[in-house]
Amino acid sequence: MNRSALTRLMPEGPVGTWLAGFRIDSSSQTPLYLQIASEIEHRIGHGRIAIGERLPPQRALAELVGVSRNTAVQAYRELERRGWVRSRVGRGTFAALPLDRAVPNPSWQPQFSASISRVTRPFMGEVNTEQAGRLSLASGKVAADPSIIGTFRQMFDLVLEREGARAFEPGPPQGIPALRAALAAHLHAGGADVRPQEILITAGARQALSILASILVDPGDTVVTEGPTYRGAIQAFQGVGARIICVPTDGDGLDLEALESVLAYTRPKLIYVIPTFQNPSSVSLSLERRHLLIEAAARRAVPIVEDDPYWELRYEGARLPRLKALDTWGGVIHVGTFSKLVFPGVRVGWIAGPPGVIRQAAVAKAGGGLHVSSLPQWAMARLLEENLLEPHLRRACQRLRSKRDLLLASLARHARGRLMARRPEGGLFVWARLPAPVQAADLLKSTSAKGVDFVAGPAFWPSGGDPYAMRLCFAGLDEPQLEEAAAIVGRSLASALTGVEPGEERHPERAPAGYMECGRRRGRAVPGRRA
Ligand code: PMP
């Protein structure tokens, strides 16, 4: 073909498709290799050649375009220099997008499903609080102690020795039978009569809540929760389109009178409660109210989801029975987890409930990923069988008790009576209250700038709640860190109150029951009724 012709039309075909209309002009001042490079660049830029598509080998390109092989080689070099192709030795040349052309942040927003917009909380906030070097009173994670690391090493050895290859098999979606049996015995020892077939193993309590939400709640259904409540539960229920009604709590837990009035005008799909050492308030539902709650729910046949991660973490006072142990009508679905008992990354939790619920939950779980990793399940089964959980919990409770005491004492020292806080009998959190006009979100901005994070109270309601409340977790830091974090909270509070006359510094008119003054200057704050 006469290459001096202005136009060269390439054949149709697998490669020829994008070569169609390929124009090179040998009479032009522009070297051939640059013309070829520009033609190919144009096609990649306009999507006629897909990013990642393999281009013809040099020799084939030379033949197709009717140039020397050397010209084709130069064209590819030029394209590589501009970033439009990448060569991989032995594999060929592939279309690419130059870095400066890459769309920096494609907008994903239009791609997301409608269901994610239902979830209102900025949960990502918590992710930022876990950066190295920060003092996090925000995260509810219990630091793993060295002794549990040693125990787990032994349990894994034992499992591998006894189970061999079986430990590497995925178990049934309901969870491995050995763990369900050991867990049933553990719950039984705690007073709840649960059989292994009434247990489903999950990847932590959070997954258990999502599974329950998916099988029990339809969009538009009502779910009753305590207010404040666990943010993960808000997320799980909002995620399936539930309308959440928060019933207020006091020092004895859920306000049963308020619950009764809610039940009088609406029929919720379920009542979600954290009866023992509630997250975030750390209060426990009194024994009398436990009975009343079960009766109220039984009268209307409304299931109760009892979320119970902290029951074992009691530092003082007498144990209260789980709702599951008091269940008179089979309406209590119990959710538990080892996250707070051994270490947060273990990701073994459970649902214990009526067989019909467990069967349906197993189907939902199978649909959403089938198995929880087998090895941690085996290790937890052996830990329970070898009776090693109890001694570990005794040590863990001692450690957590002294952390709680240290945080409360440090807050009292540094906040000088300006903070009211509950003294929790167990669990992981101090739920504290600031004097007006200092709101928790503003204090958080100031402590955060100094490296200390906590969670501001409104996050624990579906659409904002007490702006003066804050949750401080004492489980993740060691003693000197707790002292330092409390000092920063105290200093930030003092500076937020600079200029506020002592008379203007107000605790709420009626402090929620269960609070006590956390500090020396008694009388300045208005202490509530003590729990
Ligand atoms: N429920 C409550 C009340 C919690 O506080 C938490 C953890 N913060 C969970 C469930 C989630 O537990 P897990 O880590 O086992 O998913």
Side-chain angles (χ1 to χ4, degrees), residues 320-505:
L320 286 160
R322 292 183 160 107
L323 291 180
K324 186 77 191 148
L326 301 175
D327 188 5
T328 46
W329 63 290
V332 177
I333 303 168
H334 171 86
V335 169
T337 178
F338 290 115
S339 301
K340 315 292 173 181
L341 308 186
V342 290
F343 55 90
V346 67
R347 307 315 302 150
V348 178
W350 63 89
I351 301 171
V357 172
I358 294 301
R359 264 196 306 278
Q360 202 52 56
V363 172
K365 180 174 163 228
L370 224 53
H371 306 283
V372 173
S373 181
S374 300
L375 265 178
Q377 291 193 63
W378 278 107
M380 279 314 310
R382 294 294 169 245
L383 193 92
L384 291 168
E385 286 163 7
E386 302 286 320
N387 290 320
L388 293 174
L389 185 61
E390 283 308 320
H392 162 71
L393 285 175
R394 273 196 295 279
R395 285 192 303 273
C397 284
Q398 259 170 23
R399 238 188 20 259
L400 288 167
R401 182 193 296 117
S402 73
K403 287 188 181 191
R404 173 202 65 178
D405 292 344
L406 189 127
L407 179 63
L408 283 173
S410 312
L411 285 174
R413 215 172 24 259
H414 296 290
R416 297 162 180 257
R418 291 165 144 163
L419 201 64
M420 290 202 299
R422 292 184 196 277
R423 177 189 165 83
E425 289 191 339
L428 307 180
F429 310 111
V430 167
W431 182 237
R433 206 128 199 288
L434 293 161
V438 184
Q439 300 203 349
D442 296 327
L443 185 72
L444 178 59
K445 275 191 208 130
S446 128
T447 62
S448 220
K450 300 177 186 96
V452 174
D453 301 299
F454 58 81
V455 185
F460 299 101
W461 280 265
S463 46
D466 185 350
Y468 301 106
M470 58 200 276
R471 191 194 76 177
L472 307 164
C473 174
F474 49 82
L477 300 181
D478 61 26
E479 270 86 350
Q481 289 173 323
L482 283 171
E483 172 75 38
E484 193 185 335
I488 289 173
V489 169
R491 279 202 299 275
S492 301
L493 178 56
S495 80
L497 284 167
T498 310
V500 177
E501 293 300 318
E504 292 169 17
E505 182 185 315

Side-chain angles (χ1 to χ4, degrees), residues 204-206 230 272 274 279 307 309-310 337 339-340 347:
R206 178 63 186 78
Y230 169 48
Y272 166 81
I274 311 158
N279 180 2
D307 188 4
Y310 306 107
T337 178
S339 301
K340 315 292 173 181
R347 307 315 302 150

